[in-house]
Structure formats: C-alpha cells, structure tokens
Amino acid sequence: KLKLVVFGGDGGTYDIGLQSLSGALERGHDFLYVCYDNEGYMNTGGQRSGGTPFGANTETEPAGFDSFGKTRQRKDLMEIVKAHNIKYLAQANVAYPHDLAMKAKKALETKGPSFLLVLQPCTNLWKFPTSMYVRYGKLATETNFWPLYEIENGNYVINYVNKKPKAIEEFLKGQGRFKHLFETKNKKVIKEIQKTVDENWKKLKKISSI
C-alpha cells in the first residue's frame, strides 16, 4: 500500500489547483499534500498569488505612484483545508527543520489525507542576499508573521511561542519586495501589516490548547 506525496507551489495550491486539492481532500484519499509556499508565482517571473502578502511588490501588482503593491490580504489556506475535516494539517517553516521533520512524520503516519503548508523563502522575488536565507525564514516566525502550529483531530497546538516577538519591520526591511513600504507615504501600510499579524496571533492563541 502506497502513501502518495504531492508537492505544489503556492500558486498551484492557493489558486490554480485549489479545486482538485479540495476534491481529493473531500474524497478522503490517502495522501500527503505539501504546499511549497514562497508567496508568489516564481516559475513565471514573480507574479502575485493568493499567498502573496499584503503590500508586497510583484510583477502583476507592482508598487508605484498610485499603488503600494498587493492590496488584498493573503488567503488563510490552513482554515480552507481544515474545513475539509482532515485529521492532520500543519504550518511549518524550512528555517526550523526539526519542527518540519516532526510534522512530516506525523503527516505521513496519518491515515487518509494530510497537509503541510511550508514557508520557503525565495531570493528571486523576496530580493535579499542568498546568505540571509535562514535569517529571513526565522524572522517570519519570530515576528509571528508565520506561526508554527498544527491541527490534529481539530485541536490546535502552537509549536513555537516567542514571548517577545520582534516587530514586523524586522522581517520586512532588507527585502526588495517591501522596500517601498519604508517610504513616508507607505508607512501606514506597515502599521496595517503589524495590526493584522497581532490580530491573527491573538486569534490563534485563543483557539489553541498550548
């Protein structure tokens, strides 16, 4: 008996392939789906996807005189998948390999469909030096922009709690896709991003058992 493992990018998961993923989850096929989330369509030049963050500069929703970049919040893919009542799904980050390995093991041992949403920094669209790869991965979680948590049989468990989370500016600065947000006219967008991060973290803590 085989356990199928499927890999898809954020564009092919949040957007293009959501219909087929939803069908497979609803039918209860025995497979693990891994979303390789680098927050944009990288294979075709860096267009925005449903997973692209609010305010990011992309090829199809660029920042400029009349725009600050992407104007909509990214989809909550974890909640979309959870709505299919699968037994195990988790949000992970390649900068935390031990946490990722633990979740992959659980997902592979789960009978029926399971799902991993994995943050994967991308130097091409995010526009930062390759040497900073792990740093930006960690900052995504240290700012609560990308919490590490799992949902097992409907129960939420947070896997990493930073008692003194860093300000979202620490994650945004140094990334070319967010450079424009540090202009005076766009600083209100950073405040909006921080507000959303704080609200989402508060909501996650409220429904989590840990």
Side-chain angles (χ1 to χ4, degrees):
K1 184 173 174 58
L2 300 177
K3 179 75 171 184
L4 298 178
V5 180
V6 180
F7 287 89
D10 52 284
T13 306
Y14 285 75
D15 305 329
I16 298 171
L18 184 60
Q19 178 183 12
S20 55
L21 172 60
S22 176
L25 294 172
E26 188 277 328
R27 291 189 295 271
H29 293 306
D30 191 13
F31 76 112
L32 163 60
Y33 191 102
V34 182
C35 177
Y36 179 105
D37 192 344
N38 50 22
E39 303 187 331
Y41 286 88
M42 304 309 169
N43 288 345
T44 51
Q47 296 87 356
R48 58 95 85 191
S49 78
T52 301
F54 178 75
N57 179 29
T58 68
E59 292 293 325
T60 49
E61 198 166 0
F65 185 78
D66 293 321
S67 175
F68 57 82
K70 191 183 176 195
T71 57
R72 298 185 63 82
Q73 300 289 344
R74 59 183 176 170
K75 294 179 186 176
D76 190 343
L77 187 59
M78 286 288 287
E79 287 300 310
I80 292 172
V81 173
K82 179 184 176 291
H84 294 78
N85 297 313
I86 67 174
K87 293 180 180 178
Y88 186 80
L89 62 155
Q91 183 161 290
N93 181 336
V94 293
Y96 295 84
H98 295 295
D99 177 79
L100 176 56
M102 177 271 290
K103 289 169 177 172
K105 185 174 186 293
K106 278 190 177 183
L108 287 167
E109 291 173 349
T110 298
K111 186 176 181 180
S114 54
F115 179 82
L116 295 178
L117 180 58
V118 185
L119 182 68
Q120 180 75 49
C122 176
T123 58
N124 288 339
L125 181 67
W126 295 24
K127 294 181 174 61
F128 61 83
T130 304
S131 61
M132 305 292 281
Y133 183 90
V134 175
R135 172 175 170 77
Y136 278 107
K138 285 186 175 294
L139 281 170
T141 295
E142 290 172 349
T143 57
N144 289 334
F145 174 84
W146 191 270
L148 304 181
Y149 69 101
E150 53 191 336
I151 307 173
E152 191 167 8
N153 296 315
N155 297 313
Y156 290 72
V157 175
I158 298 174
N159 309 110
Y160 176 92
V161 177
N162 187 355
K163 293 182 179 180
K164 292 184 178 180
K166 296 179 180 178
I168 195 62
E169 285 94 336
E170 294 299 306
F171 174 64
L172 302 178
K173 68 182 182 182
Q175 293 189 52
R177 62 176 179 162
F178 294 120
K179 182 173 69 173
H180 59 286
L181 297 184
F182 290 87
E183 298 173 7
T184 302
K185 66 176 183 178
N186 290 328
K187 285 190 174 180
K188 62 182 182 294
V189 180
I190 297 179
K191 291 182 179 180
E192 182 67 24
I193 295 172
Q194 184 69 70
K195 179 183 176 184
T196 300
V197 167
D198 292 343
E199 289 175 348
N200 289 342
W201 177 249
K202 184 178 180 181
K203 177 183 175 183
L204 180 61
K205 283 186 68 178
K206 186 175 181 180
I207 60 179
S208 175
S209 59
I210 296 179

